[in-house]
Amino acid sequence: MPAFSLRLLLPAAALLFASACTAPRAVTNSGKVTPHGQFKVGGDMVFNIGTRTLGELTGAVKDEVAAAAGKDTVNYSQRFTRIQTAAIAYVLDPLQPSTALYVRYGALPRVDVGYKYAFGAHAFDAMYQFLGSTGTPENPQGQAGETYGSIGLQFATQRAKLPSIPFLDNVSDLLNFRATRRDLMVPLIFSTSLGREEEIGAVSYGVVYNHTFIKYGFEPTKVYLPGTNDKVSGLTAKNNFASFGAFVNGKFGFRYAYILPALALYYQNYGTYQLLNNTSTKLKGVTIIPSLGVQFRIPTGSGR
């Protein structure tokens, strides 16, 4: 493989082993909500692959960060636009694996609520089932192959940061970068039951809308305007953007335990972001989110 290609891939390969937080956007639910009075608990391994982030984390940017990080003072130049863009792109759409744990409860016959912790991101959601039966495998009402439909709303919050790995931790030290983000996600889910009341699983599909609100800032301490003794002024800014996606997932097992493979695909125009020294950058890209999880159903009360 050519040396250039290796240099391009090394930063991305390092990121794949750096687990950090990102807003949960994998869709693993089926169209059938948790039965009234019952619980579901589970966990997912999720891989977030942002194409724009992958493009920004090139060997050239890595070399520029390394050169600047080794100096006591640094003159601001065009390379800082690329470095800032790489930092923002990573926070908007990381290239990383993450792990999520969750619990869901059937609050009403057609409504369930849930909490998910994605190791740094907290997500709260509710789903309303508008199509299909509300039975259980123990007390079935529907038929095998029945179609279910639900719509949900998820709110996620996190303090975003760059992971502590070579190159990206240098970016944090050089620019004193910080960010927080809030995400609202609305999935529309349809599923086909495998067995009665998803006794042996389901195949699900649908579309999803996500809206992200981000606040970020740079506060460099050793970056100076060229030819002067003036430090580059810090920056705090806000932005928001919409994402549109589609997904498919599976649920395979029997009654109490299931394996959940899933795949989601998003497109987003991230918009324009203000940078240091009165510069800006525009970002857009595609996100691929494969995941694999396990789920356990806990019948309680009258649902048993």
Side-chain angles (χ1 to χ4, degrees):
M1 182 180 292
F4 174 78
S5 297
L6 285 172
R7 289 179 64 199
L8 197 66
L9 291 175
L10 282 175
L15 289 172
L16 289 176
F17 296 96
S19 183
C21 57
T22 184
R25 291 196 295 167
V27 182
T28 59
N29 294 337
S30 73
K32 180 178 175 63
V33 301
T34 309
H36 186 204
Q38 296 193 6
F39 287 90
K40 292 177 183 175
V41 296
D44 303 308
M45 174 60 74
V46 182
F47 296 86
N48 196 94
I49 306 169
T51 58
R52 182 57 191 260
T53 304
L54 184 61
E56 292 296 333
L57 299 177
T58 64
V61 172
K62 181 182 177 183
D63 292 343
E64 291 167 357
V65 172
K71 299 178 180 179
D72 293 331
T73 62
V74 182
N75 284 332
Y76 190 93
S77 66
Q78 185 61 33
R79 69 173 179 261
F80 278 92
T81 298
R82 298 189 63 187
I83 294 171
Q84 294 168 82
T85 299
I88 291 174
Y90 188 89
V91 168
L92 293 177
D93 207 355
L95 177 66
Q96 66 181 30
S98 64
T99 306
L101 301 174
Y102 62 87
V103 59
R104 305 196 64 80
Y105 175 70
L108 297 169
R110 290 187 176 270
V111 176
D112 72 353
V113 294
Y115 167 73
K116 179 179 289 185
Y117 179 64
F119 288 85
H122 302 272
F124 307 86
D125 81 293
M127 296 286 299
Y128 169 70
Q129 182 182 326
F130 58 82
L131 180 65
S133 67
T134 59
T136 68
E138 293 79 13
N139 297 292
Q141 298 176 9
Q143 303 299 315
E146 184 166 357
T147 298
Y148 299 96
S150 293
I151 190 168
L153 176 64
Q154 174 182 280
F155 169 74
T157 179
Q158 67 180 124
R159 179 171 295 176
K161 63 180 181 178
L162 302 179
S164 298
I165 63 172
F167 168 50
L168 286 178
D169 58 357
N170 287 339
V171 173
S172 288
D173 293 339
L174 180 65
L175 299 176
N176 194 17
F177 177 66
R178 62 200 181 278
T180 57
R181 64 181 289 171
R182 308 286 185 269
D183 287 82
L184 289 175
M185 187 173 79
V186 180
L188 176 63
I189 308 173
F190 295 94
S191 63
T192 300
S193 179
L194 302 178
R196 299 185 70 183
E197 307 293 355
E198 298 188 351
E199 184 175 34
I200 58 176
V203 175
S204 304
Y205 52 91
V207 293
V208 58
Y209 171 81
N210 192 87
H211 205 101
T212 300
F213 302 86
I214 184 165
K215 181 179 181 181
Y216 66 97
F218 301 97
E219 198 65 44
T221 58
K222 63 177 184 178
V223 182
Y224 290 79
L225 295 173
T228 73
N229 293 322
D230 299 329
K231 288 184 179 180
V232 172
S233 299
L235 167 74
T236 299
K238 296 180 180 180
N239 209 341
N240 68 90
F241 63 92
S243 304
F244 303 90
F247 63 88
V248 61
N249 69 57
K251 175 181 175 182
F252 308 107
F254 182 72
R255 283 210 173 190
Y256 307 114
Y258 301 89
I259 295 174
L260 282 66
L263 177 66
L265 183 70
Y266 289 87
Y267 170 78
Q268 51 266 309
N269 184 340
Y270 305 103
T272 301
Y273 291 81
Q274 297 301 309
L275 305 178
L276 296 171
N277 202 30
N278 296 317
T279 58
S280 63
T281 187
K282 294 183 179 180
L283 298 167
K284 61 182 178 180
V286 173
T287 308
I288 304 167
I289 308 178
S291 66
L292 182 64
V294 294
Q295 183 181 93
F296 302 95
R297 185 175 66 92
I298 306 174
T300 57
S302 60
R304 299 183 63 176

